[in-house]
Amino acid sequence: MLEAPHLPTRPSSTRIVTASASGPDPDRVLVFGDAVFAPGLPLHPAARRTAQALAARTGRGADVTAVPWSSWTGQTLVAAGNGIHLANHDVVMVCLSGSVVHSRTTTTAVVGAAEEALVLVDQLRPRLAPTAEIVLALAHDEDRTDLVAALHRARPDLVVLRVEADATSGVPSFLLEVTQLLLEQQRSRAGSPQWLRSTPQPFAHRYDAIRRLGIVDAPADAALDRLVQHMTELFGTKGAAITFLPEGRQWSAASTWIPRGSQALQDSFCRSTVLRSGAMVIGDAWDPDRPRIARRGRIRFYAGHPLESVDGTRIGAVCVFDPTPRREDTVELDLLRDFAVLARDALYRPEDSTRFGSGGAHRTPVA
């Protein structure tokens, strides 16, 4: 009878987490299982370390989503990632361990292990973007050269790597190198996940994510209130807000200068911000030579960044605004994204399980 393999000790987590590193045009990596992460770290800090290491190599931002999963349990990848939109991710890493890798010594057993792994991948593939890359990471102490060869023969399009999980003090450098190369190649392809993220997402995805979050019409949140106050101080604006775009209206969960609560969509700059993956900056909304985004009101300067759920679904925006226009090239876009990440982490804090559906990110302390 097979015994479960010994894996690095890690505080248990049943929640999907996302960690981010600063930088423009962030890449999104989805990881099933924790074998590629540094052992001994809780899942969110380990994912954050991976995001930071990847961003340091690419020069762009990075979002790493970690899904607790083990091939030993027999749970499918689709079931483990239930409730998240997999198509938002550029690279998907599947950490194979347990029954897929463990104690397979005969040729027949190795072929069987390869077939099991490919069944998992085939179930996952239809839910990914067509050009998304899948990396199979074999996490086990034993030599798995035979299994790697069998997987390569069966599916040349997959990237198969062996990970020394018990000796890893950080993210393996070769894994980062391979991921960087995959991302660079992918960006040149038509219909890549990066390109898809620059286009409007299905409205239904946004509405569903907001509904599961339960933030609309909820009482004020002290963490979000501190965030918007901090935003006005750092950007030097009169107003700041954390907004959501449920069906038919805009809801400001936290705001300065403009009252929190519901606003009409025709008054909303943020309804345009959620249509794209990066920041939107308007130096002067009253400029007659620029297209009008919202009804003319008190706001002349606006800068917003999409606020995402843990799977990359754009649910609203973090924004700063002012009655005085300013130059668009003076806005620190990386700082604006950092506030969007802080807001996401505050919203998806695990200690408040009523505020999200399938999973959430661990809360980052707010200064």
Side-chain angles (χ1 to χ4, degrees):
M1 182 176 179
L2 297 179
E3 295 181 356
H6 175 71
L7 297 177
T9 300
R10 187 186 307 278
S12 62
S13 172
T14 59
R15 301 196 183 282
I16 296 169
V17 302
T18 295
S20 302
S22 296
D25 195 16
D27 299 306
R28 294 197 69 92
V29 177
L30 178 64
V31 182
F32 286 93
D34 62 7
V36 299
F37 298 138
L41 281 179
L43 198 57
H44 185 258
R48 184 171 61 244
R49 180 181 292 186
T50 304
Q52 292 169 343
L54 181 60
R57 295 188 69 102
T58 64
R60 298 187 298 272
D63 296 307
V64 174
T65 298
V67 179
W69 177 79
S70 172
S71 54
W72 181 261
T73 65
Q75 184 184 32
T76 67
L77 298 171
V78 173
N82 183 41
I84 67 174
H85 295 291
L86 304 177
N88 292 338
H89 300 85
D90 308 311
V91 173
V92 178
M93 297 184 188
V94 179
C95 303
L96 297 177
S97 57
S99 60
V100 177
V101 180
H102 184 61
S103 298
R104 302 302 180 103
T105 56
T106 67
T107 301
T108 301
V110 168
V111 171
E115 291 175 349
E116 290 178 22
L118 293 177
V119 167
L120 291 171
V121 170
D122 289 342
Q123 292 172 344
L124 188 67
R125 172 60 79 181
R127 297 172 180 259
L128 303 177
T131 61
E133 299 283 0
I134 298 179
V135 177
L136 297 183
L138 306 182
H140 203 268
D141 300 344
E142 300 174 5
D143 181 13
R144 295 288 73 178
T145 305
D146 49 358
L147 180 54
V148 172
L151 288 166
H152 277 151
R153 286 193 300 270
R155 197 67 58 79
D157 59 310
L158 295 179
V159 177
V160 186
L161 302 173
R162 182 171 177 269
V163 177
E164 297 276 358
D166 62 338
T168 301
S169 58
V171 187
S173 59
F174 78 93
L175 187 63
L176 291 173
E177 182 178 354
V178 169
T179 302
Q180 180 184 3
L181 290 173
L182 292 174
L183 289 167
E184 290 175 352
Q185 294 172 4
Q186 189 184 67
R187 284 176 173 269
S188 64
R189 301 177 187 171
S192 67
Q194 296 95 334
W195 179 85
L196 290 173
R197 286 200 298 275
S198 69
T199 64
Q201 296 175 331
F203 288 178
H205 291 181
R206 183 208 313 163
Y207 300 154
D208 182 58
I210 293 174
R211 178 188 58 78
R212 288 186 287 117
L213 186 60
I215 187 68
V216 174
D217 296 324
D221 185 296
L224 300 184
D225 288 340
R226 289 195 298 270
L227 268 181
V228 295
Q229 184 60 46
H230 201 29
M231 289 166 64
T232 61
E233 295 168 359
L234 289 184
F235 284 94
T237 56
K238 191 167 185 178
I242 297 172
T243 67
F244 299 86
L245 277 296
E247 187 171 7
R249 59 174 170 152
Q250 172 178 296
W251 170 263
S252 297
S255 182
T256 61
W257 188 40
I258 301 297
R260 71 180 297 271
S262 288
Q263 293 180 345
L265 285 179
Q266 59 262 40
D267 297 326
S268 171
F269 292 88
C270 296
R271 67 172 177 171
S272 297
T273 302
V274 300
L275 298 180
R276 53 192 292 172
S277 58
M280 185 179 79
V281 181
I282 301 173
D284 186 0
W286 292 12
D287 185 346
D289 295 329
R290 63 157 295 118
R292 183 173 293 186
I293 301 296
R295 251 182 347 201
R296 177 173 290 188
R298 292 180 289 173
I299 296 174
R300 296 189 66 174
F301 165 73
Y302 169 93
H305 193 285
L307 172 59
E308 298 178 336
S309 67
V310 290
D311 67 2
T313 299
R314 297 191 289 270
I315 56 179
V318 298
C319 57
V320 291
F321 40 87
D322 201 86
T324 302
R326 65 176 64 180
R327 285 175 44 191
E328 295 181 3
D329 60 4
T330 64
V331 180
E332 295 185 58
L333 300 183
D334 283 358
L335 181 60
L336 200 59
R337 165 171 150 79
D338 288 345
F339 273 108
V341 170
L342 285 172
R344 180 201 67 204
D345 288 355
L347 287 163
Y348 289 88
R349 52 183 181 259
E351 64 268 24
D352 191 350
S353 60
T354 64
R355 301 190 57 182
F356 49 85
S358 61
H362 287 257
R363 180 178 178 181
T364 300
V366 179

